[in-house]
Amino acid sequence: MRTWEANIRNVEPYVPGEQPKGADLIKLNTNENPYPPSPSVEKALKELDYDQFRKYPDPKASDLVHVLSEYYGVGNDEVFVGVGSDDVIAMAFMTFFNSELPILFPDVSYSFYKVWAELFGIPYKTPVLQEDFTIRKEDYYKANGGIIFSNPNAPTGVLLPLDEVEAIIAHNQNSVVIIDEAYIDFGGESAVKLTRKYENLLVVQTFSKSRSLAGMRIGYAIGHPDLIRSIHDVKYSYNSYTMNMPSLILGREAVKDDNYFKECLDKIIKTREEAKKRLKDLGFSFPDSKANFIFAAHKEIKAEDIYKALREAHIFVRYFNLPRLDNYLRITIGTEEEMKQLFDFLEAFLSN
Ligand code: PMP
């Protein structure tokens, strides 16, 4: 072995969903929004003053922080923004999870949590979700170094009602509880309204799903000013300029156009509810989803076989070859037309 090799950090990385190239495909595998960003984002993009790119962006991301704080009715000092919620959550892990006690997150959840815990050397335990994929809140009533879960959960789409979320926060006021609300806009009640009640609560959201801006990489956290100050200190100890100028400008425009945002959400929710009926008729079962995807298993045909057949037809969904998950497909809600093509294919495939 070469001497320097002994000093290399070996980690098992998170595997993101595939980004297949080509125009003639239906992409329902990474929970992106099927609708374009707001027309006001397009306008701002066209009007970008490219000369300003000579300069560094605002390290405080003040304008974007300000529109978010106005939107949520909190102070500027209660908002942190980062390069997608992945960046925000990674910073939060570094900032808040420094106990010798294990942090807790569900066994079935966003698989990046385990990767960050390993990367940062944070001990962790993963309480097992119940048979129906719901969280048992009492599993989180024990000593811990912090808690994180997504709500609605991924990849199941299952929503934990806000009173149960609150019970978990209330029982854990000695550690930081992070609620990852990447999918909350598609039908859940946000815990943002609890951030003034619980100083130990950090709520993380993203522009990647409900705001159609996955490509711009914008995420944010809302919480007590002391939490936000601490996470800023870690950020400035790592990289002062995480947010690039176009993202700061275009993100701001997206938040301002609330009508467009709500119209897109309504369309996706309506399409999701129709998709649930179609899937049931085709012999699929699934936990009820409040996200922009459905986690479905077929009563006869193996998920992997359906996944492969769909792929050959250029329809991409997500398949996880993991214990407990390997008979499910995670299907992102696309446009009505995309879903029609998905169901046309499934109907033909399953009747063969
Ligand atoms: N949390 C959950 C539960 C997710 O599914 C995702 C998307 N992969 C993220 C966070 C990160 O999303 P982004 O970095 O695009 O905000």
Side-chain angles (χ1 to χ4, degrees), residues 315-333:
I315 300 174
F316 291 78
V317 299
R318 191 91 195 256
Y319 172 68
F320 301 93
N321 195 359
L322 293 170
R324 257 190 119 178
L325 309 185
D326 61 357
N327 202 29
Y328 287 84
L329 298 173
R330 193 195 66 191
I331 305 166
T332 304
I333 305 303

Side-chain angles (χ1 to χ4, degrees), residues 14 16-17 30-31 82-89 109-113 116 148-155 180-183 204-209 213-215 217-220 293 318 330:
Y14 170 74
T30 50
N31 299 342
V83 187
S85 51
D86 281 344
D87 182 50
V88 175
I89 300 169
S109 194
Y110 185 33
S111 53
F112 223 142
Y113 303 152
W116 284 311
I148 180 162
F149 58 89
S150 19
N151 198 38
N153 199 5
D180 175 356
E181 293 190 338
Y183 303 101
V204 179
Q205 295 194 7
T206 177
F207 283 54
S208 298
K209 321 290 179 181
L213 282 174
R217 311 303 301 124
I218 308 169
Y220 54 101
F293 54 83
R318 191 91 195 256
R330 193 195 66 191

Side-chain angles (χ1 to χ4, degrees), residues 74-106:
V74 297
N76 290 343
D77 58 354
E78 290 166 274
V79 179
F80 174 84
V81 297
V83 187
S85 51
D86 281 344
D87 182 50
V88 175
I89 300 169
M91 295 279 178
F93 267 55
M94 280 195 266
T95 311
F96 303 118
F97 294 163
N98 288 288
S99 166
E100 286 180 358
L101 290 170
I103 62 164
L104 305 176
F105 51 86

